[in-house]
């Protein structure tokens, strides 16, 4: 995710309570290869972002590892 850090402003207590800034949904339906999308940053009410309004989210699509073979008792 880029940027990794954003600068926010708001009431002192609201900023202190902020643990993360969320991104908008990155749709995965039909994806069969890695991709990058630009999505909005989602801020709680009372918090403003002054350094970025969007984030570039990279999604890596890879084959799932094989399932372990169960041992026969």
């Amino acid at each position: 995710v880029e940027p990794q850090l954003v600068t926010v402003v708001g009431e002192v207590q609201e900023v202190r309570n902020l643990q993360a800034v969320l991104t908008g949904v990155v749709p995965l339906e039909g994806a069969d290869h890695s991709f990058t999308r630009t999505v909005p940053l989602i801020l709680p009410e009372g918090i403003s972002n002054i350094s970025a309004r969007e984030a570039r989210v990279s999604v890596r699509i890879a084959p799932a590892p094989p399932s372990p073979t169960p041992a026969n008792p």
Side-chain angles (χ1 to χ4, degrees):
V1 176
E2 284 292 327
Q4 292 183 1
L5 298 173
V6 294
T7 302
V8 298
V9 294
E11 295 294 326
V12 173
Q13 195 59 39
E14 291 177 17
V15 172
R16 283 186 181 155
N17 290 337
L18 185 64
Q19 295 182 10
V21 174
L22 303 177
T23 67
V25 173
V26 178
L28 300 177
E29 288 181 11
D32 59 0
H33 60 280
S34 300
F35 63 91
T36 301
R37 293 282 186 276
T38 299
V39 293
L41 294 175
I42 310 297
L43 296 169
E45 191 172 320
I47 299 288
S48 299
N49 185 335
I50 61 171
S51 63
R53 299 205 186 285
E54 298 176 322
R56 288 179 49 84
V57 177
S58 296
V59 176
R60 182 173 178 260
I61 306 283
S67 299
T69 306
N72 291 332

